[in-house]
Amino acid sequence: MKFLKRLRGTFLALLPILVVVFFVHFFFYKFETELLLKFVGAIVIAAIGEALLLMGIDSTIMPMGDLMVNSVTKASRFVIFLIFAMLFGTFATVAEPDVAIFSNQAVLAGATSSKTLLTFMIGAGLGILVAFGVLCIIKRINLKYIYLAIFSIIFLLCTQVPSEYIALAFDAGGATTGVISAPFLLAISSGISNKFSKKESNNSEVFGMVGIASLGPIISTLLLFAFVDKSAGVDAVVNNEIISIYLDVLSQTALAIVPLAVVFFIYDIIILKLPINQKISLIFGMVVTFVGLYLFLFSIEFGITNMGKQIGNFIETLNTAYVVIFCVVIGFIITFSEPSVMVLAKQVQSATKGNISKGFVMIAVAISMSLAILVSIFRIIYNISFFNIILIGYLVALLLMFFVPSIFTGLAFDSGGVASGPMTSAFLLPIVLEFASLSSNPMAGFGLIGIVSMSPIIVLQLLGMVYKFELNQKDISDKKRAIKVSFTADMYSNIQNLENEYKLMCRKKGNEK
């Protein structure tokens, strides 16, 4: 059964987190029994919820993206498509579990007074950049220049925003492109590339849309904190003793899924006009997606976030050397709980025709995750500026673009969005936020997702340089082999000519006799 296969996969993905918690509990830091039981229950609920969510996405979000792209048969329809792609991208982001979790964390830390406003600003930022990305694919604009232009705007806006909110903005960008929005963006980018390219589409044109779109929320969140919402309110923190956690999560899920469905079915009424059986199938898929998202978000609120906070308390009791060891280990292990990382590894293996294996990519991303957590913790301990870290990191990433094959530019920036999945927001971020609140202040913990998103961009491009070197070495080897074969062939050809001349000379002498 497909669901059981999904459930097995999601549970195995979450198992490393369970192992880490029990290892800490039995050997280092005893958790309360109630908290531990809630955490185990939350992991089970999260596995079921994520399995349903992924099934729903396969039967709704991907087909919706394909249907929207395939409907663009006339130039007059393209403008309508662009508007609805922007709206659909916006609400797909609002429906993203990572965004809901991140917005909750931002409110609880007192970073903003309105979770709804922050969520919709993040969604709007991605939606606008989706439309921009579609135009870039059609006009065949080089990705390198697009990223240079967007990052110039981002770093300019950073000068207008208080330093503690810059980290929050980059976290927003990293939290967006997850299990709901990423499939839609990939469907849009591949479909538009195939439809509007003058020549046959290749991988370098397909990759890049996710990376472009994930930069939109950084811009919109910076604008929010620069001009609108500089005041944070403790009163905005939701008190689960007054408002039931069940109803709170239900309202979050409804706010996420219902607008997404409404936007698509309005597009269907105007353009698609799908048959009734196909509509029923999509509605059923939406219901499955709704239930899956509800269960997943409920599991986060029920036990996973609180356990993350307790792990943060545990780290704060360690000396610096043990903090380093723990962060490296948990960063490495948590990578294998993010299903999107496995998808990324397969994409790299496919793009390089097996020259870079998916196992090698997984290890490389796991190392980058460990380093990202380590940098985040050291940033808190030694009060290092987040802007300096992100500026240096992205300057390196932008510089590497000019030394790697084009396919790796798009692939690397796409990887930044998918590397930071739900468990990064739900488990790792509370750890770092709790550690920051005990060490200095809660706001100092933000920036983890931004650094986690940046690290694979650098790592993947370094792998691109390795791939380019291997191709050059193979090319040199092939040329040497070709020269050798050619020389042998020439020698053989000359021998044949000499033999023919000798036989001809013998015949002449025989005739003379």
Side-chain angles (χ1 to χ4, degrees):
M1 189 178 177
K2 190 176 180 181
F3 172 71
L4 292 177
K5 187 177 179 181
R6 285 279 192 187
L7 181 59
R8 179 176 174 272
T10 54
F11 183 75
L12 288 175
L14 294 170
L15 193 59
I17 298 175
L18 204 60
V19 171
V20 168
V21 169
F22 275 102
F23 183 77
V24 172
H25 175 71
F26 285 116
F27 294 101
F28 298 102
Y29 188 87
K30 294 290 182 183
F31 300 115
E32 293 179 5
T33 304
E34 183 183 356
L35 177 66
L36 198 61
L37 290 174
K38 278 188 173 182
F39 176 72
V40 173
I43 288 291
V44 173
I45 296 169
I48 296 170
E50 190 173 347
L52 288 170
L53 181 61
L54 292 173
M55 283 184 63
I57 288 166
D58 284 346
S59 60
T60 53
I61 305 300
M62 288 293 284
M64 284 176 174
D66 291 334
L67 286 166
M68 289 177 71
V69 171
N70 292 332
S71 69
V72 187
T73 54
K74 300 177 183 178
S76 58
R77 284 187 172 184
F78 179 71
V79 176
I80 299 173
F81 162 77
L82 210 59
I83 293 169
F84 276 89
M86 181 175 67
L87 291 172
F88 200 81
T90 298
F91 291 114
T93 305
V94 171
E96 199 62 64
D98 302 25
V99 174
I101 298 162
F102 167 74
S103 298
N104 280 338
Q105 295 295 329
V107 171
L108 290 170
T112 178
S113 58
S114 174
K115 181 176 71 176
T116 304
L117 178 60
L118 177 61
T119 302
F120 275 94
M121 281 296 287
I122 291 171
L126 186 132
I128 292 168
L129 265 288
V130 166
F132 176 71
V134 169
L135 290 173
C136 289
I137 291 174
I138 294 171
K139 298 296 182 182
R140 304 175 67 84
I141 301 173
N142 193 312
L143 278 175
K144 296 179 177 67
Y145 303 122
I146 297 170
Y147 287 128
L148 284 172
I150 295 174
F151 274 103
S152 297
I153 295 169
I154 288 172
F155 289 131
L156 183 65
L157 284 172
C158 284
T159 63
Q160 306 300 313
V161 177
S163 57
E164 62 267 24
Y165 289 103
I166 295 173
L168 196 79
F170 276 88
D171 279 358
T176 49
T177 47
V179 292
I180 292 181
S181 55
F184 167 71
L185 292 174
L186 288 171
I188 290 288
S189 59
S190 59
I192 289 294
S193 179
N194 289 328
K195 187 174 285 288
F196 287 93
S197 290
K198 294 179 181 178
K199 61 180 181 179
E200 189 178 351
S201 176
N202 54 53
N203 284 336
S204 63
E205 293 173 340
V206 173
F207 296 124
M209 170 69 98
V210 176
I212 292 171
S214 64
L215 298 177
I218 301 177
I219 295 173
S220 61
T221 309
L222 286 171
L223 288 170
L224 173 67
F225 292 124
F227 303 111
V228 182
D229 189 9
K230 286 185 180 178
S231 61
V234 185
D235 295 335
V237 177
V238 176
N239 187 345
N240 285 326
E241 293 178 0
I242 300 172
I243 303 173
S244 169
I245 184 174
Y246 302 100
L247 295 177
D248 185 39
V249 174
L250 184 64
S251 65
Q252 285 184 53
T253 310
L255 187 66
I257 297 298
V258 173
L260 188 65
V262 168
V263 167
F264 177 79
F265 285 113
I266 289 174
Y267 187 78
D268 171 62
I269 292 168
I270 298 173
I271 300 292
L272 296 175
K273 298 177 174 59
L274 297 173
I276 189 67
N277 61 330
Q278 198 167 0
K279 288 179 182 176
I280 292 171
S281 176
L282 288 172
I283 290 170
F284 178 75
M286 276 289 183
V287 171
V288 173
T289 305
F290 185 97
V291 174
L293 182 60
Y294 176 83
L295 290 174
F296 188 82
L297 292 178
F298 176 80
S299 71
I300 302 301
E301 297 288 335
F302 183 68
I304 294 176
T305 299
N306 288 335
M307 181 56 76
K309 290 178 180 178
Q310 288 302 310
I311 294 285
N313 283 328
F314 160 65
I315 293 177
E316 206 274 332
T317 64
L318 302 174
N319 62 41
T320 305
Y322 287 114
V323 168
V324 169
I325 294 169
F326 183 82
C327 289
V328 168
V329 171
I330 198 171
F332 194 87
I333 291 174
I334 204 82
T335 305
F336 299 93
S337 71
E338 298 288 13
S340 54
V341 176
M342 179 60 78
V343 175
L344 171 68
K346 289 179 180 177
Q347 286 180 329
V348 174
Q349 182 172 276
S350 174
T352 61
K353 296 179 174 60
N355 285 297
I356 298 178
S357 68
K358 63 182 180 182
F360 184 74
V361 176
M362 291 287 290
I363 297 298
V365 173
I367 292 170
S368 73
M369 182 77 86
S370 297
L371 292 174
I373 297 171
L374 202 57
V375 168
S376 297
I377 294 293
F378 275 13
R379 185 175 76 84
I380 296 166
I381 294 172
Y382 298 108
N383 197 25
I384 303 170
S385 167
F386 174 81
F387 181 72
N388 290 341
I389 294 171
I390 217 75
L391 178 63
I392 294 168
Y394 274 110
L395 285 177
V396 170
L398 294 171
L399 184 63
L400 286 172
M401 292 192 307
F402 297 95
F403 298 96
V404 300
S406 297
I407 187 172
F408 273 90
T409 300
L411 191 57
F413 278 88
D414 281 0
S415 74
V418 302
S420 55
M423 286 302 111
T424 303
S425 301
F427 189 66
L428 287 183
L429 185 58
I431 291 175
V432 177
L433 287 173
E434 187 67 17
F435 180 81
S437 66
L438 295 170
S439 303
S440 52
N441 65 80
M443 287 293 290
F446 287 108
L448 169 70
I449 300 175
I451 296 171
V452 166
S453 300
M454 178 185 69
S455 300
I457 298 175
I458 297 172
V459 169
L460 263 291
Q461 291 194 100
L462 290 174
L463 288 180
M465 292 181 72
V466 172
Y467 174 64
K468 186 177 181 180
F469 176 77
E470 285 188 356
L471 283 185
N472 289 338
Q473 291 298 108
K474 187 178 179 182
D475 189 44
I476 291 169
S477 177
D478 289 343
K479 283 180 180 177
K480 286 180 178 178
R481 190 181 297 110
I483 291 169
K484 186 177 180 180
V485 170
S486 176
F487 179 75
T488 304
D490 287 344
M491 289 291 294
Y492 178 76
S493 177
N494 288 333
I495 289 170
Q496 287 290 101
N497 289 334
L498 288 171
E499 286 181 352
N500 291 336
E501 287 182 12
Y502 176 74
K503 288 177 182 178
L504 184 62
M505 185 177 66
C506 289
R507 285 198 198 100
K508 285 181 179 178
K509 286 183 178 180
N511 290 334
E512 287 175 0
K513 290 179 180 180

